[in-house]
Amino acid sequence: MNFDFSQDEKMIRDQVSKFLDQQSDTKVMRSAVDGDTRYSADVWKGLVDMGLTGTAIPAAYGGVGVGYPALCLIAEQLGAHLTPTPFSSSVYLATEAIIGFGTEAQKETWLPKLANGEIIGTIAIVETVEEVTETSIQASITGDTLTGRKLIVPDGGIADFAVVIAKSPGTMANSSLSLCIADLQHESVTRTPIETIDPSKNSTTIDFQQTPIEILGDQVDGWSAVRRIYDRAAILFAFEQIGGAQSALDMAVEYAKERFAFGRPIGSFQGLKHMMADMYVALKLAESNCYYAAWALATESEELPLAAATARVSATQAFQLCSRDNIQVHGGMGFTWEFDCHLYYRRSNYLTLQLGGLATWEDKLVSSLPDAA
Amino acid sequence: MDFSDTKEEAVFRTEVKNWIGKEAPTYLFKSLSASGFGSTRTGEYDPFEEAKKWQKKKADAGWACIQWPKEFGGRGAGPMDGVIWSQEEGIYSKLSGTFIIGQGMCAPTMMAYATPEQNQRYIPKIASGEEVWCQLFSEPASGSDLAGLKTRAEKDGDEWVINGQKIWTSGAHISDYGILITRTDSEVPKHRGLTMFFLDMKSAGVDIRPIKQANGDSGFNEVYFDNVRIPDAQRLGEVGGGWQVSLTTLMNERLAIGGSIATGFPEIKALVDDLTIAGGRAIDNPAVRSKLADWYAKSAGLKNTSARALTALSKGEVPGPENSIGKLVAGGMMQDIAKFGLDLQGLGGAIVDPAIADGAARLQAMLLRSPAVRIEGGTDQILRNIIAERVLGLPEELRVDKGIAFNKIPSSNS
């Protein structure tokens, strides 16, 4: 047994960390939250130049092909720096959808461009303010066009194309849902920014009006495909979450050492100490579950759905707790716009919802448990 | 990353499996499997005798304390082999509870501080279970504040004379020897006036009385010392250096206890799989599923955290205080699980008769025993202090007793 990342994987992480330390401090997210920029094009270009968009894309399709453990560690760093780029939408979701379900021709067409950052993708699922279900999807495919509205699409204002789930009557034996690829630059597509708790996520409402599409893959059951894409992406998002949780905890600890009250550093009070100890515990548990999930992802283990849900549940808990109590440790200062605490709080709560809320993942976890656990 | 055995590990596992398959006391399998939390069931057989028999059998074949050096009765195996052994020993490892303190805490302390001759005399018999050891640390007025202990040791020629009282000593009544921390100087700050010894528990003046615990069981004892004489040759470490010695013991305690910790998850899962609530299966209830997911994520997190610690150990790194999280998470979780499991059953959940209660009343036993888990071996609050100060580097608690001679420190009795 060896439960650790390899030296090469750690080296990639360190390079990414160094780059983001220099290029993506929280000012970058702040400018997105302030509404000055939609996302950081500079940081995105830097990530592309380092080849990170092709991390898990096989070399045959123009990628680097160093595999998923490395991608997990990259995700952890992006989460730690609150980097506002479309990396998660394009790499964990759109790219993975094509790798997992695209036809050979689609892989040859799309993957090299995704790998070299020439195009950016996203995934468009949600249509209402209710948790999405197999029967709630209304967008529909007729012939080779798509019509319907996707209410909230992360990175929808930046992406060049979207993988969209929609009804496709008569095309499938077992399901009426398909995935399709839609060009978001097409004139039939209307994109409207939508305000959310985390403005740096570039959330967008997208209307499709007889938009030309191509069906993704051959006879793919759209709903189970999304579930599978989400399971895998949940692991990468969980790494972003533990990265963010670590940064929020670090911020709390640093402040508690420097801020004095009643003649001593506030970090010497047990009320705050114990709060931060609990943040640390939640983070450690999540981190270890994430490591296990990284292994499941890399080896295509049968345990992937359970490992993914476990990592997702504990990483969600950890980031929510750390970002929430980071504000508490900072007291009044933590509630100012000027301090970064709210950036972690916003990001953690957005990420909690991005692939479906905590209850959804708790349910998935229990459904994936073996009978005699 | 790789979770499968290496080639050498696979060979070792087969060897272990074969030996256990041939030699394990299979006649105890059924009763051991029904053991509840905090109790080892051996059916019609005496648990202490069976534990000693199994331990001796392992020792004779070289399978006791396998990570210890050969001259001390071990086989010089690495930490990963230790894990493989305990995975394969499985249910029979419940028989080893009697020896945990001696093997996990006393022996490492002896190895670090006793003479080679003493170690040659005592350690192999700890490994073989022929002699049982206990740890005499806590006192009625010093638990979390261990360094505030009052049991006195006074030098008299080549001997020390001990007077005082220890408490919460697991297994003192079945122990042959113990390690004992005492105060030898009250004129210096508390940490500097302590000295460690080991002693024969049959020494004149040692009086052992079982404590009736809040859950009705009696696993612990009070031990009284009335002019007990210990030869100076049985001192461990310097006079006044007892605190350093105790840290060796306590560090090993964390490893021994934190390694494979029970959380109660399998018990609650088994309950909700079968239980009916409000006309449906409990496991289909969203509130139950939410709790279950949280507990599974925590117990998996602990398991995966110890797998990481093992990887670090096998690379020669020393596991740090971050391992304090195991008991901190598991203790509270057990208490919550027990409470929730009973709650799902309504008033019927109050029944402790194993013949009637679900799962032979193991959740009820867990409810009553789990408060102790949050106290023994470091309270939840002390563990959080350790994490905050030693892992996160937060400033120390303000201490009014710092730098003050022990006999000048305010206490409950003064």
Side-chain angles (χ1 to χ4, degrees), chain B residues 304-320:
Chain B
N304 292 328
T305 300
S306 53
R308 285 170 70 190
L310 270 169
T311 299
L313 255 178
S314 67
K315 288 182 183 169
E317 295 163 30
V318 181

Side-chain angles (χ1 to χ4, degrees), chain A residues 2-162:
Chain A
N2 176 17
F3 196 12
D4 197 4
F5 291 92
S6 71
Q7 285 309 319
D8 286 352
E9 288 154 1
K10 288 180 184 171
M11 216 158 74
I12 294 174
R13 175 193 62 195
D14 294 344
Q15 281 166 0
V16 175
S17 168
K18 205 169 141 196
F19 168 74
L20 293 174
D21 282 344
Q22 288 162 357
Q23 301 293 320
S24 183
D25 65 15
T26 51
K27 283 198 198 76
V28 179
M29 173 170 173
R30 183 168 282 280
S31 80
V33 171
D34 281 334
D36 298 338
T37 50
R38 290 186 310 159
Y39 75 107
S40 172
D42 289 348
V43 176
W44 172 249
K45 186 172 177 302
L47 299 175
V48 168
D49 288 347
M50 290 170 80
L52 304 182
T53 37
T55 305
I57 297 176
Y61 300 110
V64 188
V66 295
Y68 290 95
L71 188 56
C72 288
L73 292 182
I74 294 166
E76 186 182 16
Q77 289 306 313
L78 293 170
H81 290 81
L82 298 175
T83 307
T85 70
F87 196 90
S88 57
S89 296
S90 196
V91 178
Y92 321 155
L93 291 164
T95 300
E96 286 298 310
I98 291 166
I99 292 177
F101 299 97
T103 61
E104 190 52 36
Q106 285 169 333
K107 289 183 195 174
E108 282 169 9
T109 306
W110 295 97
L111 293 179
K113 293 181 196 165
L114 283 161
N116 68 19
E118 192 181 324
I119 55 166
I120 294 170
T122 186
I123 195 165
I125 311 288
V126 176
E127 300 182 354
T128 68
V129 293
E130 284 157 15
E131 189 77 274
V132 64
T133 67
E134 190 169 5
T135 52
S136 71
I137 303 286
Q138 293 303 316
S140 66
I141 296 165
T142 315
D144 46 15
T145 69
L146 166 70
T147 298
R149 158 176 286 204
K150 293 295 173 180
L151 180 63
I152 169 168
V153 181
D155 300 308
I158 308 162
D160 302 296
F161 75 95

Side-chain angles (χ1 to χ4, degrees), chain B residues 33-317:
Chain B
S33 307
S35 293
F37 172 64
S39 73
T40 301
R41 290 191 191 152
T42 46
E44 64 204 273
Y45 303 93
D46 179 69
F48 187 50
E49 287 310 311
E50 293 301 324
K52 283 199 142 188
K53 253 164 68 184
W54 175 229
Q55 193 63 32
K56 185 72 170 58
K57 198 168 190 181
K58 288 193 285 185
D60 289 345
W63 292 112
C65 302
I66 61 169
Q67 286 168 248
W68 291 3
K70 283 197 177 122
E71 68 263 33
F72 291 155
R75 63 197 293 137
M80 220 50 96
D81 288 345
V83 175
I84 291 170
W85 166 267
S86 61
Q87 284 170 348
E88 296 302 326
E89 188 182 17
I91 199 82
Y92 301 107
S93 67
K94 283 181 190 280
L95 288 170
S96 312
T98 308
F99 309 112
I100 282 182
I101 304 230
Q103 294 172 349
M105 297 162 227
C106 301
T109 310
M110 291 288 284
M111 288 185 212
Y113 291 97
T115 64
E117 295 72 30
Q118 287 168 333
N119 282 333
Q120 209 49 63
R121 153 67 187 84
Y122 293 106
I123 306 289
K125 286 192 190 299
I126 296 180
S128 65
E130 286 166 273
E131 289 172 351
V132 177
W133 284 56
C134 63
Q135 169 199 312
L136 299 141
F137 278 23
S138 291
E139 295 186 7
S142 60
S144 292
D145 182 14
L146 177 62
L149 61 92
K150 290 181 177 151
T151 295
R152 286 190 330 274
E154 285 154 319
K155 191 87 187 282
D156 180 22
D158 280 346
E159 289 181 330
W160 293 82
V161 182
I162 316 293
N163 282 287
Q165 184 196 350
K166 295 287 173 179
I167 195 172
W168 300 118
T169 313
S170 315
H173 58 299
I174 50 166
S175 288
D176 301 287
Y177 295 91
I179 59 173
L180 168 71
I181 187 161
T182 63
R183 180 161 307 281
T184 43
D185 188 349
S186 299
E187 310 280 327
V188 295
K190 62 179 182 180
H191 290 94
R192 299 217 299 263
L194 303 175
T195 304
M196 188 80 80
F197 300 93
F198 71 91
L199 85 160
D200 185 339
M201 291 299 285
K202 311 281 184 306
S203 305
V206 176
D207 180 15
I208 301 165
R209 303 178 199 166
I211 299 172
K212 184 163 185 184
Q213 298 155 207
N215 66 342
D217 287 350
S218 295
F220 300 95
N221 302 276
E222 293 178 291
V223 181
Y224 292 83
F225 295 86
D226 180 16
N227 289 318
V228 175
R229 303 188 81 86
I230 301 179
D232 185 53
Q234 288 176 206
R235 173 163 49 81
L236 296 171
E238 299 299 314
V239 174
W243 183 248
Q244 278 313 111
V245 182
S246 77
L247 292 182
T248 309
T249 316
L250 296 174
M251 206 44 152
N252 281 290
E253 174 169 31
R254 218 172 281 137
L255 281 179
I257 293 181
S260 59
I261 199 156
T263 59
F265 184 80
E267 288 86 351
I268 192 71
K269 175 69 166 47
L271 176 77
V272 299
D273 272 340
D274 294 335
L275 193 71
T276 299
I277 55 169
R281 290 171 71 215
I283 193 161
D284 294 331
N285 179 295
V288 171
R289 293 174 82 79
S290 173
K291 293 269 194 194
L292 216 53
D294 177 44
W295 289 323
Y296 179 80
K298 287 196 168 77
S299 64
L302 289 182
K303 195 174 131 213
N304 292 328
T305 300
S306 53
R308 285 170 70 190
L310 270 169
T311 299
L313 255 178
S314 67
K315 288 182 183 169
E317 295 163 30

